[in-house]
Amino acid sequence: MIVILKNESMTFPAMHEWALAEGIISTADKFAKENNITSITEIHIMIGELQQVEHDIVEFALEQLRTPLMKNTKFIIKAIPAKFKCRNCGHEWTFITGDFTEDVSEAIHFVPEMAHVFIKCPNCGSPDFEVSEGRGVWLQSIKGIKDD
Amino acid sequence: MTDPRLNIIPERFKGVKNIIAVSSGKGGVGKSMVSVSLALAIRDKGFTVGLLDLDFTSPSTHIILGAPSLFPSEDKGIVPPITNGLHYMSIVHYSADKPAPLRGSDQSDAIIELLAITRWEKLDYLIIDMPPGLGDATLDMIRLIPRITFLVVSTPSRLAFESVKKLLLLLIELKIPIKGVAENMVMEESNYIKTEIQKLDLRYLTKIAFNKEVEDSIGDPDKIVSSKFHKDVSKILDFI
């Protein structure tokens, strides 16, 4: 299935970014309702670079999925660089896009933990590392107008 | 602030009528073989069936099904491929069958990711091949999957059953529905497991005889379906 970004006449495959956007919208809407927010003005989203999520597609999906509480919501997306720390030797390093084949990038894109299958510590070769920053997609904060 | 994946997971299971996690307190009791055989038996009754392999560190249902290299399609998420008439999802679609050395918290994150982005078709049954034990995967599934039920596999071994019993006691305490217990790899007559299950006021589903032919049927679903093993597993259909 192909979706078309209206403002750029570019085509993108309807990737799993849509599923992530659904999670953001659903969570924000539920949170707003639980807290008597009648209009959400801003939603701040953090996207880790490890997953190589296409921000344009997330933004497009967010626009399409707006709920009645989000008529005037501004979506603010912040990219978080991915950092690793080796549990074996303590070495820390940064994820660099373009280091992997398309297959590996795609596997990590869908399930970031697949990094442990394909990435090793550049210092000692261990697969036992933690993704200290920039793993996935997080809802950082919501701003809105509340009924008194 | 919060993980947006958690809220969408119940939504992903809305079209699934029955969710059965095939589980055990112990590894090596034949959960994966039972999961595949049960999924095929339900399929042959004319139902729509999904199979989800959640054993991230040792996935094996793709080997049993003889379906090594499948890849899900994408449509506002990922759509499980169909193999042998089963809607089939496994981490092996992404791990290229290489070792996946995941710590508990990473397994948990991977499970949440997979559950959040997988869009199941309308299914009558979803069979989940669980990793052994009471670890993160079991706790996550109990926490995240609405309407989950458990089908527990044991062997006649008292050692295996001691671990199985711990899982059963946990599920009973958490008030999670248990379909019952299947006894696998039975080599001689004994009522030990059946009696223990009845003491817990649970259903003893079937006695699955140990059969050397099972090993030969790995990778060939047609052979599985025609095996004595499959006939024994199919008795579970009366209870689900």
Side-chain angles (χ1 to χ4, degrees):
Chain A
M1 185 180 172
I2 302 293
V3 296
I4 298 171
L5 284 182
K6 287 175 189 167
N7 55 346
E8 291 179 22
S9 66
M10 288 169 64
T11 59
F12 287 106
M15 298 205 288
H16 94 295
E17 276 82 351
W18 189 283
L20 299 172
E22 277 183 303
I24 293 165
I25 293 289
S26 163
T27 306
D29 195 68
K30 187 179 171 205
F31 179 81
K33 283 173 181 161
E34 284 171 358
N35 290 278
N36 301 319
I37 290 170
T38 51
S39 174
I40 302 173
T41 53
E42 285 180 15
I43 296 179
H44 292 254
I45 300 147
M46 294 195 300
I47 297 182
E49 282 182 354
L50 176 61
Q51 208 164 4
Q52 299 172 73
V53 167
E54 296 279 354
H55 291 207
D56 288 348
I57 303 178
V58 173
E59 282 174 28
F60 176 79
L62 291 170
E63 289 297 334
Q64 299 298 307
L65 293 165
R66 281 176 189 270
T67 67
L69 294 180
M70 298 174 192
K71 278 181 186 152
N72 303 306
T73 305
K74 197 174 170 190
F75 298 106
I76 298 146
I77 297 176
K78 189 179 174 190
I80 307 292
K83 291 180 184 168
F84 304 117
K85 185 175 183 184
C86 180
R87 289 191 176 104
N88 185 46
C89 71
H91 181 68
E92 293 183 67
W93 75 102
T94 310
F95 173 75
I96 299 165
T97 315
D99 275 0
F100 307 107
T101 62
E102 198 180 322
D103 285 356
V104 170
S105 288
E106 193 151 286
I108 295 172
H109 172 68
F110 286 109
V111 184
E113 282 60 44
M114 291 302 99
H116 294 276
V117 175
F118 300 106
I119 300 175
K120 306 277 182 274
C121 169
N123 188 49
C124 73
S126 171
D128 187 12
F129 56 84
E130 65 176 302
V131 182
S132 48
E133 282 177 45
R135 180 209 165 274
V137 178
W138 280 79
L139 191 55
Q140 189 184 27
S141 63
I142 296 170
K143 268 188 189 173
I145 299 163
K146 201 171 180 176
D147 258 357
D148 290 327
Chain B
M1 184 183 116
T2 189
D3 185 340
R5 298 171 301 172
L6 299 177
N7 207 42
I8 203 71
I9 290 175
E11 200 67 27
R12 300 285 182 240
F13 289 89
K14 267 194 173 167
V16 183
K17 286 184 192 160
N18 297 285
I19 304 169
I20 302 175
V22 178
S23 189
S24 178
K26 197 83 171 165
V29 299
K31 284 182 299 300
S32 300
M33 281 302 295
V34 171
S35 299
V36 171
S37 176
L38 179 62
L40 294 172
I42 300 172
R43 173 203 69 180
D44 289 344
K45 288 283 174 191
F47 293 106
T48 313
V49 190
L51 177 65
L52 170 61
D53 190 335
L54 274 191
D55 196 347
F56 278 11
T57 51
S58 313
S60 56
T61 50
H62 63 295
I63 299 168
I64 298 168
L65 284 167
S69 51
L70 296 165
F71 206 77
S73 57
E74 297 171 36
D75 182 8
K76 296 182 177 177
I78 53 177
V79 180
I82 296 176
T83 180
N84 296 285
L86 306 175
H87 297 253
Y88 179 56
M89 193 66 201
S90 166
I91 198 67
V92 86
H93 298 329
Y94 300 107
S95 66
D97 222 2
K98 293 182 190 305
L102 299 180
R103 285 181 180 255
S105 59
D106 291 324
Q107 276 191 45
S108 201
D109 247 330
I111 287 172
I112 292 170
E113 194 76 30
L114 213 60
L115 298 181
I117 63 175
T118 303
R119 301 177 75 97
W120 294 99
E121 305 282 329
K122 283 190 175 171
L123 299 176
D124 295 309
Y125 288 90
L126 176 64
I127 306 299
I128 306 172
D129 182 22
M130 298 286 291
L134 308 175
D136 295 69
T138 301
L139 296 173
D140 277 331
M141 296 308 278
I142 290 171
R143 175 171 68 109
L144 298 169
I145 308 294
R147 298 177 288 109
I148 194 165
T149 64
F150 277 73
L151 190 161
V152 178
V153 181
S154 182
T155 68
S157 157
R158 290 184 182 212
L159 279 182
F161 185 71
E162 278 309 305
S163 301
V164 167
K165 191 174 172 182
K166 290 181 177 71
L167 171 65
L168 293 170
L169 290 173
L170 175 78
L171 296 173
I172 291 168
E173 191 182 336
L174 296 175
K175 297 186 172 57
I176 306 295
I178 303 169
K179 298 283 186 196
V181 178
E183 187 181 10
N184 192 21
M185 302 180 190
V186 177
M187 288 191 273
E188 55 190 48
E189 278 301 314
S190 162
N191 278 328
Y192 172 69
I193 299 291
K194 192 173 191 175
T195 309
E196 290 297 312
I197 298 306
Q198 285 166 347
K199 276 187 209 166
L200 293 170
D201 208 15
L202 295 171
R203 271 192 305 220
Y204 179 84
L205 301 173
T206 183
K207 181 176 288 197
I208 307 164
F210 180 81
N211 189 330
K212 282 181 184 170
E213 286 170 13
V214 171
E215 189 67 22
D216 294 334
S217 69
I218 290 173
D220 187 343
D222 290 339
K223 266 192 181 174
I224 295 174
V225 168
S226 60
S227 68
K228 167 79 169 61
F229 169 83
H230 186 70
K231 200 175 168 189
D232 289 343
V233 170
S234 298
K235 289 176 188 160
I236 297 172
L237 295 177
D238 293 340
F239 302 100
I240 57 173

mmCIF file of all heavy atoms in Angstrom, chain A residues 19-62:
data_model
loop_
_atom_site.group_PDB
_atom_site.id
_atom_site.type_symbol
_atom_site.label_atom_id
_atom_site.label_comp_id
_atom_site.label_asym_id
_atom_site.label_seq_id
_atom_site.Cartn_x
_atom_site.Cartn_y
_atom_site.Cartn_z
ATOM 1 N N ALA A 19 2.093 2.324 12.592
ATOM 2 C CA ALA A 19 1.737 1.594 13.817
ATOM 3 C C ALA A 19 2.272 2.345 15.041
ATOM 4 O O ALA A 19 1.600 2.430 16.078
ATOM 5 C CB ALA A 19 2.307 0.177 13.775
ATOM 6 N N LEU A 20 3.467 2.884 14.926
ATOM 7 C CA LEU A 20 4.046 3.634 16.047
ATOM 8 C C LEU A 20 3.238 4.909 16.292
ATOM 9 O O LEU A 20 2.967 5.292 17.439
ATOM 10 C CB LEU A 20 5.519 3.987 15.756
ATOM 11 C CG LEU A 20 6.446 2.780 15.545
ATOM 12 C CD1 LEU A 20 7.822 3.239 15.075
ATOM 13 C CD2 LEU A 20 6.579 1.956 16.815
ATOM 14 N N ALA A 21 2.832 5.569 15.205
ATOM 15 C CA ALA A 21 2.028 6.792 15.334
ATOM 16 C C ALA A 21 0.687 6.494 16.004
ATOM 17 O O ALA A 21 0.204 7.273 16.830
ATOM 18 C CB ALA A 21 1.811 7.422 13.954
ATOM 19 N N GLU A 22 0.116 5.352 15.665
ATOM 20 C CA GLU A 22 -1.151 4.952 16.303
ATOM 21 C C GLU A 22 -0.978 4.851 17.814
ATOM 22 O O GLU A 22 -1.852 5.258 18.583
ATOM 23 C CB GLU A 22 -1.611 3.590 15.766
ATOM 24 C CG GLU A 22 -2.352 3.658 14.466
ATOM 25 C CD GLU A 22 -2.830 2.276 14.038
ATOM 26 O OE1 GLU A 22 -1.989 1.364 13.898
ATOM 27 O OE2 GLU A 22 -4.033 2.112 13.833
ATOM 28 N N GLY A 23 0.143 4.295 18.230
ATOM 29 C CA GLY A 23 0.439 4.168 19.664
ATOM 30 C C GLY A 23 0.543 5.530 20.323
ATOM 31 O O GLY A 23 0.019 5.751 21.425
ATOM 32 N N ILE A 24 1.194 6.472 19.650
ATOM 33 C CA ILE A 24 1.366 7.830 20.196
ATOM 34 C C ILE A 24 0.004 8.507 20.352
ATOM 35 O O ILE A 24 -0.336 9.049 21.405
ATOM 36 C CB ILE A 24 2.281 8.676 19.266
ATOM 37 C CG1 ILE A 24 3.706 8.116 19.290
ATOM 38 C CG2 ILE A 24 2.260 10.149 19.677
ATOM 39 C CD1 ILE A 24 4.586 8.634 18.163
ATOM 40 N N ILE A 25 -0.793 8.448 19.289
ATOM 41 C CA ILE A 25 -2.101 9.109 19.303
ATOM 42 C C ILE A 25 -3.016 8.488 20.358
ATOM 43 O O ILE A 25 -3.648 9.193 21.161
ATOM 44 C CB ILE A 25 -2.768 9.005 17.899
ATOM 45 C CG1 ILE A 25 -1.987 9.814 16.873
ATOM 46 C CG2 ILE A 25 -4.233 9.423 17.950
ATOM 47 C CD1 ILE A 25 -2.066 11.315 17.002
ATOM 48 N N SER A 26 -3.041 7.183 20.393
ATOM 49 C CA SER A 26 -3.914 6.475 21.330
ATOM 50 C C SER A 26 -3.529 6.781 22.777
ATOM 51 O O SER A 26 -4.392 7.035 23.631
ATOM 52 C CB SER A 26 -3.819 4.976 21.023
ATOM 53 O OG SER A 26 -4.305 4.213 22.073
ATOM 54 N N THR A 27 -2.232 6.785 23.058
ATOM 55 C CA THR A 27 -1.759 7.052 24.421
ATOM 56 C C THR A 27 -2.041 8.494 24.829
ATOM 57 O O THR A 27 -2.502 8.769 25.944
ATOM 58 C CB THR A 27 -0.243 6.753 24.515
ATOM 59 O OG1 THR A 27 -0.020 5.431 24.049
ATOM 60 C CG2 THR A 27 0.258 6.879 25.946
ATOM 61 N N ALA A 28 -1.751 9.440 23.919
ATOM 62 C CA ALA A 28 -1.955 10.857 24.232
ATOM 63 C C ALA A 28 -3.446 11.143 24.455
ATOM 64 O O ALA A 28 -3.824 11.870 25.383
ATOM 65 C CB ALA A 28 -1.413 11.726 23.091
ATOM 66 N N ASP A 29 -4.279 10.563 23.614
ATOM 67 C CA ASP A 29 -5.724 10.795 23.727
ATOM 68 C C ASP A 29 -6.264 10.239 25.056
ATOM 69 O O ASP A 29 -7.047 10.904 25.742
ATOM 70 C CB ASP A 29 -6.435 10.112 22.551
ATOM 71 C CG ASP A 29 -7.869 10.592 22.391
ATOM 72 O OD1 ASP A 29 -8.059 11.764 22.036
ATOM 73 O OD2 ASP A 29 -8.787 9.797 22.663
ATOM 74 N N LYS A 30 -5.809 9.054 25.406
ATOM 75 C CA LYS A 30 -6.251 8.426 26.655
ATOM 76 C C LYS A 30 -5.796 9.266 27.854
ATOM 77 O O LYS A 30 -6.570 9.525 28.778
ATOM 78 C CB LYS A 30 -5.651 7.014 26.738
ATOM 79 C CG LYS A 30 -6.162 6.196 27.899
ATOM 80 C CD LYS A 30 -5.534 4.814 27.892
ATOM 81 C CE LYS A 30 -5.873 4.072 29.172
ATOM 82 N NZ LYS A 30 -4.903 3.053 29.504
ATOM 83 N N PHE A 31 -4.530 9.707 27.801
ATOM 84 C CA PHE A 31 -3.977 10.512 28.896
ATOM 85 C C PHE A 31 -4.769 11.821 29.050
ATOM 86 O O PHE A 31 -5.106 12.232 30.166
ATOM 87 C CB PHE A 31 -2.495 10.821 28.621
ATOM 88 C CG PHE A 31 -1.848 11.655 29.685
ATOM 89 C CD1 PHE A 31 -1.384 11.076 30.865
ATOM 90 C CD2 PHE A 31 -1.704 13.029 29.512
ATOM 91 C CE1 PHE A 31 -0.798 11.850 31.849
ATOM 92 C CE2 PHE A 31 -1.121 13.812 30.496
ATOM 93 C CZ PHE A 31 -0.667 13.220 31.669
ATOM 94 N N ALA A 32 -5.078 12.447 27.923
ATOM 95 C CA ALA A 32 -5.813 13.720 27.964
ATOM 96 C C ALA A 32 -7.201 13.522 28.585
ATOM 97 O O ALA A 32 -7.632 14.306 29.446
ATOM 98 C CB ALA A 32 -5.934 14.289 26.551
ATOM 99 N N LYS A 33 -7.881 12.479 28.160
ATOM 100 C CA LYS A 33 -9.230 12.205 28.685
ATOM 101 C C LYS A 33 -9.185 11.919 30.178
ATOM 102 O O LYS A 33 -10.043 12.386 30.933
ATOM 103 C CB LYS A 33 -9.869 11.037 27.930
ATOM 104 C CG LYS A 33 -10.382 11.455 26.558
ATOM 105 C CD LYS A 33 -10.850 10.262 25.747
ATOM 106 C CE LYS A 33 -11.321 10.723 24.373
ATOM 107 N NZ LYS A 33 -11.360 9.634 23.403
ATOM 108 N N GLU A 34 -8.192 11.163 30.592
ATOM 109 C CA GLU A 34 -8.066 10.818 32.021
ATOM 110 C C GLU A 34 -7.796 12.057 32.871
ATOM 111 O O GLU A 34 -8.072 12.083 34.060
ATOM 112 C CB GLU A 34 -6.930 9.804 32.225
ATOM 113 C CG GLU A 34 -7.311 8.395 31.807
ATOM 114 C CD GLU A 34 -6.127 7.433 31.790
ATOM 115 O OE1 GLU A 34 -4.983 7.861 32.061
ATOM 116 O OE2 GLU A 34 -6.349 6.258 31.476
ATOM 117 N N ASN A 35 -7.219 13.077 32.246
ATOM 118 C CA ASN A 35 -6.856 14.286 32.993
ATOM 119 C C ASN A 35 -7.734 15.497 32.639
ATOM 120 O O ASN A 35 -7.351 16.640 32.865
ATOM 121 C CB ASN A 35 -5.372 14.607 32.762
ATOM 122 C CG ASN A 35 -4.482 13.583 33.446
ATOM 123 O OD1 ASN A 35 -4.219 13.659 34.639
ATOM 124 N ND2 ASN A 35 -4.045 12.594 32.685
ATOM 125 N N ASN A 36 -8.894 15.225 32.076
ATOM 126 C CA ASN A 36 -9.871 16.269 31.729
ATOM 127 C C ASN A 36 -9.306 17.371 30.833
ATOM 128 O O ASN A 36 -9.683 18.535 30.951
ATOM 129 C CB ASN A 36 -10.472 16.890 32.994
ATOM 130 C CG ASN A 36 -11.155 15.856 33.845
ATOM 131 O OD1 ASN A 36 -11.837 14.970 33.323
ATOM 132 N ND2 ASN A 36 -10.952 15.936 35.148
ATOM 133 N N ILE A 37 -8.394 17.014 29.948
ATOM 134 C CA ILE A 37 -7.864 17.984 28.981
ATOM 135 C C ILE A 37 -8.832 18.032 27.797
ATOM 136 O O ILE A 37 -9.158 16.998 27.209
ATOM 137 C CB ILE A 37 -6.437 17.582 28.535
ATOM 138 C CG1 ILE A 37 -5.460 17.775 29.707
ATOM 139 C CG2 ILE A 37 -5.997 18.383 27.317
ATOM 140 C CD1 ILE A 37 -4.090 17.207 29.489
ATOM 141 N N THR A 38 -9.318 19.233 27.466
ATOM 142 C CA THR A 38 -10.326 19.337 26.405
ATOM 143 C C THR A 38 -9.705 19.655 25.042
ATOM 144 O O THR A 38 -10.335 19.471 24.004
ATOM 145 C CB THR A 38 -11.353 20.437 26.750
ATOM 146 O OG1 THR A 38 -10.635 21.620 27.081
ATOM 147 C CG2 THR A 38 -12.224 20.016 27.913
ATOM 148 N N SER A 39 -8.466 20.138 25.070
ATOM 149 C CA SER A 39 -7.781 20.408 23.815
ATOM 150 C C SER A 39 -6.272 20.234 24.023
ATOM 151 O O SER A 39 -5.683 20.860 24.900
ATOM 152 C CB SER A 39 -8.102 21.838 23.352
ATOM 153 O OG SER A 39 -7.340 22.152 22.228
ATOM 154 N N ILE A 40 -5.678 19.373 23.225
ATOM 155 C CA ILE A 40 -4.223 19.163 23.332
ATOM 156 C C ILE A 40 -3.538 20.170 22.418
ATOM 157 O O ILE A 40 -3.852 20.243 21.222
ATOM 158 C CB ILE A 40 -3.846 17.717 22.918
ATOM 159 C CG1 ILE A 40 -4.586 16.687 23.786
ATOM 160 C CG2 ILE A 40 -2.337 17.502 23.036
ATOM 161 C CD1 ILE A 40 -4.395 15.231 23.327
ATOM 162 N N THR A 41 -2.632 20.949 22.971
ATOM 163 C CA THR A 41 -1.954 21.964 22.148
ATOM 164 C C THR A 41 -0.610 21.472 21.598
ATOM 165 O O THR A 41 -0.221 21.810 20.488
ATOM 166 C CB THR A 41 -1.739 23.256 22.958
ATOM 167 O OG1 THR A 41 -1.066 22.927 24.175
ATOM 168 C CG2 THR A 41 -3.057 23.943 23.272
ATOM 169 N N GLU A 42 0.100 20.669 22.391
ATOM 170 C CA GLU A 42 1.408 20.171 21.924
ATOM 171 C C GLU A 42 1.626 18.729 22.370
ATOM 172 O O GLU A 42 1.275 18.357 23.491
ATOM 173 C CB GLU A 42 2.560 21.012 22.508
ATOM 174 C CG GLU A 42 2.720 22.360 21.865
ATOM 175 C CD GLU A 42 3.884 23.162 22.471
ATOM 176 O OE1 GLU A 42 4.732 22.575 23.176
ATOM 177 O OE2 GLU A 42 3.908 24.381 22.248
ATOM 178 N N ILE A 43 2.208 17.939 21.505
ATOM 179 C CA ILE A 43 2.656 16.592 21.883
ATOM 180 C C ILE A 43 4.141 16.487 21.525
ATOM 181 O O ILE A 43 4.524 16.708 20.360
ATOM 182 C CB ILE A 43 1.860 15.494 21.145
ATOM 183 C CG1 ILE A 43 0.373 15.541 21.544
ATOM 184 C CG2 ILE A 43 2.425 14.106 21.457
ATOM 185 C CD1 ILE A 43 -0.513 14.512 20.840
ATOM 186 N N HIS A 44 4.947 16.237 22.531
ATOM 187 C CA HIS A 44 6.397 16.112 22.313
ATOM 188 C C HIS A 44 6.778 14.633 22.230
ATOM 189 O O HIS A 44 6.486 13.864 23.136
ATOM 190 C CB HIS A 44 7.160 16.785 23.460
ATOM 191 C CG HIS A 44 6.987 18.281 23.450
ATOM 192 N ND1 HIS A 44 7.990 19.129 23.043
ATOM 193 C CD2 HIS A 44 5.924 19.063 23.773
ATOM 194 C CE1 HIS A 44 7.548 20.390 23.127
ATOM 195 N NE2 HIS A 44 6.295 20.366 23.573
ATOM 196 N N ILE A 45 7.420 14.277 21.146
ATOM 197 C CA ILE A 45 7.759 12.869 20.883
ATOM 198 C C ILE A 45 9.274 12.738 20.702
ATOM 199 O O ILE A 45 9.893 13.562 20.018
ATOM 200 C CB ILE A 45 7.057 12.391 19.589
ATOM 201 C CG1 ILE A 45 5.536 12.531 19.746
ATOM 202 C CG2 ILE A 45 7.442 10.969 19.223
ATOM 203 C CD1 ILE A 45 4.820 12.870 18.455
ATOM 204 N N MET A 46 9.836 11.712 21.315
ATOM 205 C CA MET A 46 11.266 11.443 21.123
ATOM 206 C C MET A 46 11.416 10.193 20.266
ATOM 207 O O MET A 46 10.776 9.180 20.540
ATOM 208 C CB MET A 46 11.943 11.207 22.464
ATOM 209 C CG MET A 46 11.953 12.428 23.356
ATOM 210 S SD MET A 46 13.109 12.258 24.718
ATOM 211 C CE MET A 46 12.500 10.829 25.552
ATOM 212 N N ILE A 47 12.253 10.312 19.255
ATOM 213 C CA ILE A 47 12.479 9.144 18.393
ATOM 214 C C ILE A 47 13.976 8.816 18.392
ATOM 215 O O ILE A 47 14.803 9.626 17.966
ATOM 216 C CB ILE A 47 12.002 9.406 16.948
ATOM 217 C CG1 ILE A 47 10.480 9.646 16.936
ATOM 218 C CG2 ILE A 47 12.359 8.230 16.044
ATOM 219 C CD1 ILE A 47 9.880 9.858 15.576
ATOM 220 N N GLY A 48 14.298 7.631 18.892
ATOM 221 C CA GLY A 48 15.697 7.200 18.920
ATOM 222 C C GLY A 48 16.192 6.874 17.524
ATOM 223 O O GLY A 48 15.448 6.331 16.708
ATOM 224 N N GLU A 49 17.451 7.195 17.268
ATOM 225 C CA GLU A 49 17.992 6.992 15.915
ATOM 226 C C GLU A 49 18.229 5.530 15.567
ATOM 227 O O GLU A 49 18.290 5.172 14.392
ATOM 228 C CB GLU A 49 19.303 7.770 15.754
ATOM 229 C CG GLU A 49 19.075 9.248 15.531
ATOM 230 C CD GLU A 49 20.373 10.016 15.311
ATOM 231 O OE1 GLU A 49 21.452 9.406 15.453
ATOM 232 O OE2 GLU A 49 20.291 11.211 15.034
ATOM 233 N N LEU A 50 18.349 4.678 16.598
ATOM 234 C CA LEU A 50 18.634 3.266 16.330
ATOM 235 C C LEU A 50 17.595 2.654 15.396
ATOM 236 O O LEU A 50 17.916 1.883 14.500
ATOM 237 C CB LEU A 50 18.690 2.484 17.655
ATOM 238 C CG LEU A 50 18.886 0.975 17.543
ATOM 239 C CD1 LEU A 50 20.207 0.649 16.849
ATOM 240 C CD2 LEU A 50 18.845 0.316 18.916
ATOM 241 N N GLN A 51 16.341 3.025 15.611
ATOM 242 C CA GLN A 51 15.246 2.412 14.855
ATOM 243 C C GLN A 51 15.126 2.976 13.429
ATOM 244 O O GLN A 51 14.379 2.453 12.625
ATOM 245 C CB GLN A 51 13.931 2.600 15.616
ATOM 246 C CG GLN A 51 12.924 1.514 15.339
ATOM 247 C CD GLN A 51 11.796 1.469 16.350
ATOM 248 O OE1 GLN A 51 11.705 2.299 17.251
ATOM 249 N NE2 GLN A 51 10.933 0.495 16.217
ATOM 250 N N GLN A 52 15.857 4.058 13.162
ATOM 251 C CA GLN A 52 15.838 4.686 11.824
ATOM 252 C C GLN A 52 14.418 4.905 11.316
ATOM 253 O O GLN A 52 14.081 4.548 10.179
ATOM 254 C CB GLN A 52 16.626 3.819 10.839
ATOM 255 C CG GLN A 52 18.084 3.655 11.238
ATOM 256 C CD GLN A 52 18.793 2.640 10.372
ATOM 257 O OE1 GLN A 52 19.078 2.907 9.220
ATOM 258 N NE2 GLN A 52 19.071 1.476 10.931
ATOM 259 N N VAL A 53 13.627 5.460 12.197
ATOM 260 C CA VAL A 53 12.231 5.755 11.855
ATOM 261 C C VAL A 53 12.186 6.995 10.962
ATOM 262 O O VAL A 53 12.887 7.972 11.200
ATOM 263 C CB VAL A 53 11.420 5.997 13.156
ATOM 264 C CG1 VAL A 53 10.076 6.614 12.856
ATOM 265 C CG2 VAL A 53 11.257 4.687 13.914
ATOM 266 N N GLU A 54 11.374 6.927 9.923
ATOM 267 C CA GLU A 54 11.233 8.071 9.011
ATOM 268 C C GLU A 54 10.312 9.114 9.651
ATOM 269 O O GLU A 54 9.113 8.883 9.792
ATOM 270 C CB GLU A 54 10.615 7.602 7.677
ATOM 271 C CG GLU A 54 11.462 6.636 6.893
ATOM 272 C CD GLU A 54 12.550 7.318 6.093
ATOM 273 O OE1 GLU A 54 12.572 8.571 6.053
ATOM 274 O OE2 GLU A 54 13.378 6.598 5.515
ATOM 275 N N HIS A 55 10.892 10.242 10.032
ATOM 276 C CA HIS A 55 10.100 11.263 10.724
ATOM 277 C C HIS A 55 8.951 11.779 9.856
ATOM 278 O O HIS A 55 7.863 12.053 10.348
ATOM 279 C CB HIS A 55 10.998 12.429 11.151
ATOM 280 C CG HIS A 55 11.961 12.048 12.236
ATOM 281 N ND1 HIS A 55 12.473 12.938 13.145
ATOM 282 C CD2 HIS A 55 12.486 10.851 12.581
ATOM 283 C CE1 HIS A 55 13.279 12.303 13.978
ATOM 284 N NE2 HIS A 55 13.312 11.037 13.651
ATOM 285 N N ASP A 56 9.202 11.923 8.562
ATOM 286 C CA ASP A 56 8.167 12.446 7.661
ATOM 287 C C ASP A 56 6.924 11.561 7.676
ATOM 288 O O ASP A 56 5.795 12.043 7.659
ATOM 289 C CB ASP A 56 8.688 12.509 6.218
ATOM 290 C CG ASP A 56 9.701 13.613 6.037
ATOM 291 O OD1 ASP A 56 9.816 14.448 6.960
ATOM 292 O OD2 ASP A 56 10.368 13.635 4.995
ATOM 293 N N ILE A 57 7.180 10.247 7.708
ATOM 294 C CA ILE A 57 6.037 9.315 7.676
ATOM 295 C C ILE A 57 5.297 9.344 9.010
ATOM 296 O O ILE A 57 4.065 9.313 9.046
ATOM 297 C CB ILE A 57 6.496 7.878 7.343
ATOM 298 C CG1 ILE A 57 7.248 7.866 6.015
ATOM 299 C CG2 ILE A 57 5.299 6.941 7.263
ATOM 300 C CD1 ILE A 57 7.780 6.505 5.604
ATOM 301 N N VAL A 58 6.058 9.429 10.109
ATOM 302 C CA VAL A 58 5.410 9.524 11.426
ATOM 303 C C VAL A 58 4.540 10.778 11.464
ATOM 304 O O VAL A 58 3.376 10.732 11.882
ATOM 305 C CB VAL A 58 6.456 9.570 12.570
ATOM 306 C CG1 VAL A 58 5.776 9.846 13.904
ATOM 307 C CG2 VAL A 58 7.216 8.250 12.648
ATOM 308 N N GLU A 59 5.101 11.913 10.993
ATOM 309 C CA GLU A 59 4.346 13.175 11.004
ATOM 310 C C GLU A 59 3.085 13.067 10.144
ATOM 311 O O GLU A 59 2.013 13.514 10.542
ATOM 312 C CB GLU A 59 5.227 14.326 10.508
ATOM 313 C CG GLU A 59 6.197 14.815 11.575
ATOM 314 C CD GLU A 59 7.164 15.848 11.033
ATOM 315 O OE1 GLU A 59 6.812 16.562 10.074
ATOM 316 O OE2 GLU A 59 8.281 15.923 11.571
ATOM 317 N N PHE A 60 3.242 12.449 8.981
ATOM 318 C CA PHE A 60 2.090 12.273 8.093
ATOM 319 C C PHE A 60 1.006 11.436 8.776
ATOM 320 O O PHE A 60 -0.176 11.784 8.769
ATOM 321 C CB PHE A 60 2.534 11.600 6.785
ATOM 322 C CG PHE A 60 1.398 11.300 5.846
ATOM 323 C CD1 PHE A 60 0.847 12.309 5.066
ATOM 324 C CD2 PHE A 60 0.861 10.018 5.758
ATOM 325 C CE1 PHE A 60 -0.211 12.037 4.207
ATOM 326 C CE2 PHE A 60 -0.195 9.740 4.906
ATOM 327 C CZ PHE A 60 -0.738 10.761 4.124
ATOM 328 N N ALA A 61 1.446 10.332 9.406
ATOM 329 C CA ALA A 61 0.486 9.445 10.080
ATOM 330 C C ALA A 61 -0.175 10.178 11.246
ATOM 331 O O ALA A 61 -1.393 10.066 11.449
ATOM 332 C CB ALA A 61 1.201 8.193 10.574
ATOM 333 N N LEU A 62 0.598 10.944 12.005
ATOM 334 C CA LEU A 62 0.032 11.691 13.142
ATOM 335 C C LEU A 62 -1.053 12.656 12.654
ATOM 336 O O LEU A 62 -2.115 12.782 13.256
ATOM 337 C CB LEU A 62 1.134 12.469 13.878
ATOM 338 C CG LEU A 62 2.154 11.622 14.657
ATOM 339 C CD1 LEU A 62 3.322 12.501 15.123
ATOM 340 C CD2 LEU A 62 1.511 10.933 15.852
#
